[in-house]
Amino acid sequence: MNGYEDGLPAFLTFRVTPQEGPIAAFAEQEAWQARQRYPDILGVGVPEFFHARECEQGGWELCEHSSDTPQGARDSLGHRFRMAAKEAEEAGDERARRKWLAAAVRMDREVIDEVRVLGQRFRIVRASRFIRMGSAGPEPPRPSDPDPAEVGEAHSLPSRTKGFVIDPYTGTGLADGILRLDLVHFVGSAPGAPREVTEDAWRAAERYPGGVLLPAVFLVSERDDGKWRAHDPGASHSTPQGARDSLTAWLRVMAPFTYKLDEAERAVFAEAADRLDAKRSNSLTVDGHRLRVTRVERLVRIGPDGPEGPRPSDFDPQPPIEVHVRQLKEQGLWEEEDEDAPRELDADAREFARLWEQEQARVAEAKERRRRPEGS
């Protein structure tokens, strides 16, 4: 007798397979525990956007870095085309160079979410983001989440998303399979969201009823007026340490700059950053700010023709670069810059530069200290 899966299209298939090895078994156990401790699933209002290439063997291969707007992903794709044109030029393939360069120029001028170049199909892909919430707040990183970087060096790690293939046929553990099912059925928007946002969400659930989980990422949440919110909704990091590093940079640079802290107040924030570096903890309270490194699940919706692209209601404030420059010129807001001319910074810019240079020097010194032999 044939299984039910024999009559289902691939994008509606949820393959659950045994996860081999002790680490996989541990991660599976943690995923089940997370369902109990953090039973509620909430959407993060800002999605991520990637450019992806369709693979000959099936699925779509993601680029390394995401953007919080569709145009950011389009700009990234245009850059990829320019790099391909350069490689073709170095290889002496003039036809390929012209094709790649023409595609790059087109990305600079038009709003395009799918394009074919030399037989390859590229698409802008949308990933929705979610967090688990329990009575104690949002879910922090799990012990099984990869976190290999030293303090201050998470930026040097390769992205876990680079080369990831969106393919619904790839098997997952039972817990992740159930999570996928939960998330593809998740249709909702924040209270008070515009009507078009809600309508787009329901339309996406109908047109893209399948889904694939991406590797989890991490952001910083803040307890504000009795509720948890994303500290910087557009920012996410491949590892927990990446989120901690961003938080310590905020404590040492952005908070003093934004809040105009005096020296005594800056010392309080710097001390909190030092504690976070020393303990590599996931929670921190400083001057009334309650902060937590938070685990974020990501889902790309899948339909008959592949992954979901941007929705009409997605925040996308800037047009393609050539269109934007033309608009600025028409409004009299464009100024040609002389790259050799000295740039005069105002007082705020000088203060920010001072804080940032101070932080970079501190990071370099800490890195050098870790490399020295013990006792030297």
Side-chain angles (χ1 to χ4, degrees):
M1 184 176 72
N2 292 333
Y4 289 110
E5 70 275 7
D6 295 335
L8 286 176
F11 67 90
L12 287 178
T13 300
F14 286 64
R15 294 185 67 245
V16 175
T17 58
Q19 303 299 293
E20 299 180 359
I23 295 179
F26 180 43
E28 182 78 0
Q29 179 184 2
E30 286 190 321
W32 279 109
Q33 291 173 346
R35 294 180 64 84
Q36 298 171 349
R37 296 173 180 171
Y38 305 95
D40 299 324
I41 297 176
L42 304 178
V44 178
V46 181
E48 287 183 281
F49 300 91
F50 302 83
H51 71 257
R53 178 184 64 86
E54 187 177 26
C55 304
E56 291 183 6
Q57 66 273 26
W60 293 74
E61 182 184 46
L62 290 181
C63 63
E64 181 172 5
H65 300 294
S66 67
S67 173
D68 57 359
T69 66
Q71 188 56 48
R74 297 183 198 111
D75 292 341
S76 175
L77 181 55
H79 175 71
R80 176 173 181 163
F81 291 160
R82 281 189 163 79
M83 296 302 295
K86 182 179 178 182
E87 291 173 3
E89 182 180 18
E90 292 172 349
D93 190 339
E94 178 59 21
R95 176 178 175 273
R97 186 196 70 82
R98 286 188 285 104
K99 291 287 186 179
W100 288 118
L101 190 58
V105 171
R106 188 181 175 199
M107 297 301 297
D108 288 346
R109 296 173 177 173
E110 302 176 38
V111 175
I112 305 172
D113 291 327
E114 185 168 319
V115 62
R116 284 184 181 271
V117 188
L118 293 173
Q120 299 185 58
R121 185 157 65 141
F122 298 87
R123 176 179 294 181
I124 305 303
V125 172
R126 184 188 199 273
S128 300
R129 302 192 296 167
F130 306 86
I131 60 171
R132 285 192 172 279
M133 183 72 72
S135 58
E139 181 186 12
R142 300 171 186 171
S144 62
D145 288 323
D147 198 19
E150 294 284 351
V151 171
E153 298 185 33
H155 65 278
S156 64
L157 293 178
S159 168
R160 295 176 63 204
T161 307
K162 182 180 182 181
F164 184 91
V165 176
I166 302 170
D167 186 353
Y169 190 74
T170 302
T172 65
L174 180 59
D176 276 353
I178 294 176
L179 177 60
R180 282 174 62 188
L181 191 60
D182 288 341
L183 295 185
V184 296
H185 288 147
F186 185 98
V187 180
S189 55
R195 179 180 176 182
E196 57 266 25
V197 172
T198 303
E199 291 176 348
D200 275 353
W202 283 104
R203 193 177 299 114
E206 179 181 351
R207 295 179 179 177
Y208 301 92
V212 170
L213 290 175
L214 303 187
V217 291
F218 305 87
L219 54 71
V220 176
S221 298
E222 181 175 5
R223 181 80 168 174
D224 183 32
D225 196 22
K227 297 180 180 179
W228 287 95
R229 63 175 181 82
H231 184 66
D232 182 356
S236 60
H237 307 270
S238 294
T239 64
Q241 188 56 49
R244 294 186 204 105
D245 288 346
S246 73
L247 178 53
T248 56
W250 179 80
L251 290 166
R252 295 186 176 111
V253 179
M254 290 307 301
F257 176 76
T258 304
Y259 299 143
K260 308 297 183 185
L261 304 182
D262 60 30
E263 289 302 321
E265 292 168 329
R266 291 184 184 190
V268 171
F269 277 69
E271 182 184 357
D274 292 342
R275 291 199 308 272
L276 189 62
D277 283 344
K279 296 181 179 179
R280 291 173 66 115
S281 59
N282 295 316
S283 297
L284 177 73
T285 299
V286 56
D287 194 33
H289 298 272
R290 185 180 173 191
L291 303 145
R292 176 180 295 181
V293 176
T294 301
R295 193 177 200 272
V296 181
E297 306 285 1
R298 300 183 294 173
L299 179 91
V300 174
R301 285 190 170 275
I302 302 289
D305 190 40
E308 180 188 13
R311 300 174 186 175
S313 60
D314 285 328
F315 180 69
D316 198 19
Q318 290 190 346
I321 184 63
E322 284 199 17
V323 177
H324 193 204
V325 170
R326 185 174 68 247
Q327 290 175 347
L328 291 175
K329 288 181 176 179
E330 290 171 352
Q331 297 167 12
L333 301 176
W334 179 262
E335 293 183 7
E336 297 291 346
E337 291 189 0
D338 182 356
E339 294 184 359
D340 297 326
R343 291 177 174 83
E344 186 68 28
L345 300 179
D346 61 21
D348 282 345
R350 288 195 299 272
E351 174 61 10
F352 181 82
R354 186 186 71 80
L355 289 169
W356 183 248
E357 289 170 1
Q358 181 177 297
E359 172 62 6
Q360 292 299 98
R362 189 203 61 79
V363 169
E365 182 182 352
K367 186 175 181 180
E368 179 61 28
R369 193 162 53 245
R370 285 194 298 269
R371 289 179 176 176
R372 292 176 194 150
E374 225 174 290
S376 65

